[in-house]
């Protein structure tokens, strides 16, 4: 019992620190929508990097990643680093440096804003925003799920899943509602350093407990040799994962909007240069720890493996270290969850409510409404998380495909002068139909040729953009 109290005390202290930073940022806020949702576009390199990278390192990385590696092995590292670690930063700059001056000049915030400004089509803006929100809501849910499972695992079930999920939801909801973009970015700066340093410490502590890096990996080779091969990740599946993940990241609404918050595109260039190094480190850690977890806790099935990282920490580290490393996990969870909540609220009010409103109202009213939307979205995510759905990676695989397809009209908007709104609309509708129809059995799975549904959906989206435009 004393151990649990110590662990909870350390996590509570860290949570209060995050909450303090998020709420303290409120003192520097201005009573404008531009400041609440974009922090007046004044972030320097360090804050911008942490805002973008921290937003990406979510429950997918520190909960879903080890859970996936538990079943398929080291290949998780290779797949994420070769696609997300290298290609995604290039695409972030490709999209961001072109979108930044346009967005700065016209006060644009969202992807929908960009498409509407280019083609003057309110329907296109609504369509893009609706799909992005549709795919972001389950992604928000994964952060709440991760928080609940982490609390449960670290306290050996003393804190039930629903209480852990509620604590994470309330804390994030509070500082996001008050701090806005500045609050999420400032807390992300702290959280990025916490989970990077904490992740490195976790790696060496778990390796030491299992006899060292070489011995742990040798034991895997003897007992579970399939985890050191690509047997469970055929080349077609590996390729499709890489393409989908790399293309999806710049279209995450919470990432795209942060590409526009730097003082100058130069800040973004510095960010994408350091991004691959941080990506390699964090995914090396989670892939190998997840794989080694098979030695300590064999026989976990399905979503149960999502708790492997906190389970290893609770088993192999001293009580004080368990609390500190547990805080590092929560840092990763909250750094993504807060961004997703704020950005979804931004899309709802900017893309729908403000566009449809007939009369102007004070900006303070809009900011209050934005805060209300954050609270509502957090409540929806918490209730949905109580359903206890499938493994986190399974949830986001589908969402990633939807995001990836959205990069087609965005790149056309930024780089192809001849592209028109009819091609963009048809591209979105056709690609999203294919993405949804294949899993539902409306279209045969054979058209995927052993790859994720997102790949044929991308091909269809490009074809419709070209054909309809011409």
């Amino acid at each position: 019992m004393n151990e649990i109290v110590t662990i909870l005390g350390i996590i509570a202290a860290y949570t209060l620190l995050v909450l303090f930073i998020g709420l303290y940022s409120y003192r520097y806020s201005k009573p404008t929508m531009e400041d609440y949702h974009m922090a007046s576009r004044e972030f320097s390199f360090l804050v911008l990097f942490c805002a973008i990278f921290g937003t990406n390192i979510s429950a997918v990385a520190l909960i879903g990643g080890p859970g996936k590696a538990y079943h398929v092995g080291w290949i998780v590292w290779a797949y994420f680093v070769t696609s997300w670690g290298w290609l995604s930063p290039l695409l972030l700059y490709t999209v961001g440096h072109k979108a930044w001056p346009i967005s700065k000049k016209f006060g644009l915030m969202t992807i929908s804003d960009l498409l509407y400004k280019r083609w003057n089509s309110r329907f296109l803006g609504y369509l893009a925003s609706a799909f992005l929100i549709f795919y972001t809501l389950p992604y928000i849910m994964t952060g709440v799920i991760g928080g609940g499972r982490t609390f449960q695992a670290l306290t050996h079930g003393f804190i039930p899943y629903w209480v852990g999920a509620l604590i994470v939801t309330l804390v994030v909801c509070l500082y996001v509602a008050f701090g806005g973009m500045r609050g999420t970015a400032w807390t992300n700066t702290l959280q990025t350093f916490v989970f990077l340093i904490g992740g490195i410490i976790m790696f060496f502590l778990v390796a030491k407990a299992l006899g060292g890096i070489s011995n742990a990996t040798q034991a895997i080779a003897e007992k579970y040799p399939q985890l050191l091969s690509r047997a469970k990740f055929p080349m077609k599946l590996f390729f499709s994962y890489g393409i989908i993940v790399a293309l999806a990241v710049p279209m995450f609404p919470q990432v795209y909007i942060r590409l526009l918050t730097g003082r100058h595109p130069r800040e973004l260039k510095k960010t994408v240069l350091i991004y691959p190094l941080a990506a390699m480190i964090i995914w090396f850690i989670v892939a190998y720890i997840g794989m080694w977890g098979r030695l300590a806790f064999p026989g976990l099935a399905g979503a149960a493996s999502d708790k492997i990282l906190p389970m290893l920490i609770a088993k192999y580290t001293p009580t004080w270290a368990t609390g500190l490393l547990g805080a590092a996990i929560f840092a990763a969870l909250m750094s993504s969850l807060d961004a997703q909540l704020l950005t979804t609220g931004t899309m709802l009010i900017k893309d729908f409510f403000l566009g449809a409103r007939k009369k102007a109202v004070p900006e303070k009213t809009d900011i209050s409404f934005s805060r209300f939307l954050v609270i509502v979205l957090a409540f929806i995510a918490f209730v949905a998380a109580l359903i206890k759905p499938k493994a986190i990676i399974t949830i986001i695989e589908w969402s990633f495909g939807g995001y990836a397809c959205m990069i087609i009209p965005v790149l056309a908007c930024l780089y192809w002068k001849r592209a028109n709104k009819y091609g963009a609309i048809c591209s979105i509708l056709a690609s999203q139909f294919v993405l949804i129809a294949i899993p539902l059995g409306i279209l045969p799975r054979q058209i995927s040729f052993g790859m994720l549904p997102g790949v044929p959906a991308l091909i269809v989206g490009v074809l419709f953009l070209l054909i309809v435009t011409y």
Side-chain angles (χ1 to χ4, degrees):
M1 186 63 185
N2 289 335
E3 293 182 358
I4 294 175
V5 171
T6 302
I7 292 169
L8 290 177
I10 293 173
I11 293 175
Y14 173 75
T15 303
L16 289 174
L17 175 61
V18 171
L19 192 59
F20 170 77
I21 293 173
L23 294 178
Y24 183 75
S25 68
Y26 178 71
R27 296 183 58 183
Y28 294 86
S29 63
K30 303 168 188 174
T32 66
M33 288 287 284
E34 177 87 356
D35 191 79
Y36 181 78
H37 291 282
M38 302 292 289
S40 298
R41 305 177 198 261
E42 59 185 22
F43 290 155
S44 61
F45 155 67
L46 179 62
V47 177
L48 183 64
F49 167 74
C50 292
I52 294 174
F53 188 75
T55 295
N56 267 326
I57 302 299
S58 60
V60 176
L62 291 196
I63 300 297
K68 188 75 172 179
Y70 179 93
H71 296 293
V72 305
W74 75 276
I75 194 66
V76 167
W77 176 73
Y79 128 65
F80 266 105
V81 169
T82 53
S83 59
W84 174 71
W86 293 98
L87 183 53
S88 288
L90 292 175
L91 290 170
L92 289 174
Y93 189 70
T94 299
V95 172
H97 95 281
K98 194 81 170 179
W100 188 92
I102 300 171
S103 301
K104 175 75 172 178
K105 180 178 180 180
F106 296 105
L108 310 181
M109 297 182 188
T110 65
I111 292 174
S112 175
D113 263 350
L114 181 70
L115 298 179
Y116 171 67
K117 185 65 182 178
R118 165 69 198 275
W119 286 304
N120 194 30
S121 171
R122 184 68 67 184
F123 175 76
L124 175 57
Y126 287 154
L127 184 68
S129 192
F131 274 113
L132 289 169
I133 292 171
F134 177 67
Y135 290 116
T136 301
L137 288 176
Y139 210 162
I140 294 174
M141 183 175 64
T142 63
V144 180
I145 294 170
R149 289 175 179 169
T150 300
F151 260 117
Q152 189 178 35
L154 288 175
T155 61
H156 303 286
F158 179 78
I159 298 294
Y161 168 82
W162 73 269
V163 174
L166 180 62
I167 292 171
V168 170
T169 303
L170 289 176
V171 170
V172 172
C173 178
L174 190 58
Y175 75 73
V176 171
F178 281 93
M181 176 63 80
R182 186 174 282 100
T184 62
W186 285 12
T187 55
N188 284 175
T189 303
L190 168 68
Q191 290 165 337
T192 298
F193 283 102
V194 168
F195 68 67
L196 279 175
I197 296 171
I200 294 171
I201 296 172
M202 287 179 214
F203 177 80
F204 287 107
L205 285 178
V206 172
K208 181 180 179 181
L210 294 172
I213 297 173
S214 298
N215 289 337
T217 307
Q218 182 61 37
I220 288 290
E222 293 171 359
K223 295 182 179 181
Y224 308 103
Q226 71 276 14
L227 297 183
L228 292 174
S229 71
R230 209 181 59 232
K232 293 191 175 183
F233 237 134
M235 182 54 75
K236 288 183 179 179
L237 193 61
F238 183 91
F239 169 78
S240 59
Y241 263 102
I243 292 296
I244 294 302
V245 171
L247 296 178
V249 170
M251 293 298 100
F252 291 166
Q254 70 274 13
V255 171
Y256 173 83
I257 203 169
R258 277 154 181 74
L259 300 180
L260 312 178
T261 56
R263 295 174 182 169
H264 191 275
R266 286 191 300 268
E267 309 299 332
L268 181 59
K269 185 182 292 187
K270 298 174 188 175
T271 294
V272 300
L273 287 176
I274 197 173
Y275 194 104
L277 177 61
M280 284 193 295
I281 292 172
I282 199 67
W283 275 102
F284 183 89
I285 289 168
V286 300
Y288 274 81
I289 289 180
M291 180 177 68
W292 292 338
R294 194 77 168 262
L295 299 171
F297 299 97
L300 298 180
S305 63
D306 278 350
K307 294 186 286 188
I308 190 62
L309 185 55
M311 288 169 68
L312 287 168
I313 293 172
K315 181 174 182 178
Y316 290 128
T317 63
T319 302
W320 63 269
T322 302
L324 290 175
L325 297 177
I329 297 176
F330 283 109
L333 299 179
M334 292 190 289
S335 67
S336 187
L337 179 59
D338 56 15
Q340 292 160 344
L341 281 174
L342 177 64
T343 304
T344 305
T346 302
M347 288 190 291
L348 284 170
I349 192 167
K350 191 76 167 59
D351 299 342
F352 290 95
F353 295 106
L354 294 186
R357 194 171 57 197
K358 299 293 178 67
K359 295 182 179 179
V361 299
E363 284 196 276
K364 288 185 177 180
T365 303
D366 288 334
I367 294 172
S368 298
F369 187 50
S370 298
R371 294 190 170 111
F372 171 74
L373 285 175
V374 167
I375 296 170
V376 171
L377 288 167
F379 175 76
I380 293 172
F382 170 70
V383 173
L386 295 181
I387 301 172
K388 294 185 180 180
K390 296 181 179 180
I392 283 175
I393 286 289
T394 304
I395 297 171
I396 59 95
E397 281 175 357
W398 182 63
S399 294
F400 272 36
Y403 291 128
C405 290
M406 290 302 302
I407 202 169
I408 301 170
V410 169
L411 290 178
C413 168
L414 294 172
Y415 288 96
W416 191 20
K417 291 184 178 180
R418 181 167 179 173
N420 59 43
K421 64 180 180 181
Y422 305 107
I425 290 171
C426 290
S427 174
I428 293 174
L429 290 174
S431 61
Q432 300 298 336
F433 170 76
V434 171
L435 183 67
I436 295 170
I438 292 176
L440 293 178
I442 299 173
L443 293 176
R445 283 191 174 271
Q446 288 79 356
I447 68 173
S448 296
F449 297 102
M451 295 184 283
L452 294 175
V455 174
L458 278 167
I459 295 171
V460 169
V462 171
L463 289 175
F464 267 79
L465 175 70
L466 295 172
I467 293 170
V468 175
T469 294
Y470 279 111

